Amino acid sequence: MAEAGDVRELLTRTELDRAGALRSAGDRDDFLAAHALVRLCAGRLLGRPAQSLTVVQSCGSCDRPHGRPRLVEAPGTGVSLAHARGWVAAAAAHGPVGVDVETLDRHPLDQRVAEAVCSEKELAALRRTTTRSAPSCASGYEKESLVKVGAATLDAAAGLDLPVYGQEPPRWRGWRLLDWGGERAVGCVAAREEMRLRLLG
C-alpha cells in the first residue's frame, strides 16, 4: 500500500474534507484507505493509473457527497468501497458491484439487530448455533453488499432469505455473492452471476 502522503494525493478535495471531519484518527485512516483502494482496483480493471481516476458520491436525495460511488472517467464501470474499524475493502467491475466488510467481535449479537437484519430461516440457524456472534447471522454484510449494488434496501433486509452461510451456493436471484473472512473480519462482494469475480490480496 502507498504511504499516507501518496494515498492523500489520490483523493479529491471533497474526500479529504470528509475524512478530516471524522473525529477518530482510525476512522479517518479507514476512509482514506478505502477511497484510495477503490481507485487501485478500478485502475487495475481498466488498465489505467489510479491517480487518473476520480471517485464521486451522491445519494440522489440531497446535495451532500455521500451514497453510491462512481467513476467520473468511466461511468459504466461499477465501483464500491467499505471500511469498518481497521478493515477496508473495495471492488470494481464491468457492471454493478457492491462490497461490504464487517469486523468480528466476540460479544453476543444484539437480538434486536438480528431481528432487523435476519430472516426467520436465518434466525432459526442463529438459535441453533453455539457461537452467537455477528458471523453466525451470516447475512448482515452479504445483505449490505446487495444494498450497495442496488438489488435490495436496508428496510427490507429481514425479508431477504439468503443461503445459510457455508451451506449453500452463494447466489441470490441472479446475483453472485463472494464471501471471504477470518477470525477478525468478514466481507462480501455482490455482482451479476455472469460476471467473473476475483479477490486481490
Side-chain angles (χ1 to χ4, degrees):
M1 188 67 178
E3 296 294 331
D6 297 329
V7 167
R8 289 178 178 273
E9 290 174 7
L10 295 178
L11 275 59
T12 64
R13 183 72 259 166
T14 297
E15 289 170 303
L16 293 175
D17 288 345
R18 288 182 64 196
L22 298 172
R23 289 186 175 184
S24 162
D27 290 344
R28 290 193 294 273
D29 289 344
D30 293 347
F31 183 98
L32 294 171
H35 283 251
L37 181 60
V38 77
R39 286 169 166 83
L40 295 171
C41 291
R44 180 171 291 193
L45 177 74
L46 299 171
R48 298 182 55 168
Q51 58 267 30
S52 73
L53 300 173
T54 308
V55 176
V56 294
Q57 289 179 264
S58 60
C59 70
S61 299
C62 69
D63 58 0
R64 295 175 57 208
H66 67 116
R68 190 174 302 168
R70 62 182 176 86
L71 293 176
V72 172
E73 297 80 5
T77 299
V79 291
S80 184
L81 57 92
H83 46 89
R85 298 200 305 271
W87 296 86
V88 299
H94 296 298
V97 67
V99 66
D100 191 47
V101 63
E102 292 185 11
T103 56
L104 302 182
D105 55 41
R106 293 305 166 192
H107 300 294
L109 183 65
D110 188 307
Q111 189 64 29
R112 290 171 300 177
V113 173
E115 290 174 356
V117 173
C118 299
S119 68
E120 285 302 320
K121 176 181 174 182
E122 292 161 340
L123 285 171
L126 183 60
R127 294 183 191 104
R128 289 192 301 269
T129 185
T130 56
T131 305
R132 299 177 65 83
S133 56
S136 303
C137 186
S139 60
Y141 58 98
E142 293 176 330
K143 291 179 181 182
E144 180 69 21
S145 70
L146 288 168
V147 169
K148 289 186 174 183
V149 84
T153 64
L154 281 176
D155 291 341
L160 300 182
D161 199 11
L162 300 185
V164 176
Y165 183 74
Q167 294 183 13
E168 300 178 37
R171 285 171 170 77
W172 181 81
R173 298 185 183 178
W175 296 94
R176 183 178 176 191
L177 305 174
L178 179 60
D179 291 307
W180 76 91
E183 295 182 356
R184 298 173 60 192
V186 291
C188 181
V189 175
R192 285 294 185 188
E193 282 191 330
E194 64 271 17
M195 291 177 59
R196 183 177 179 184
L197 298 177
R198 184 178 65 158
L199 285 177
L200 301 178

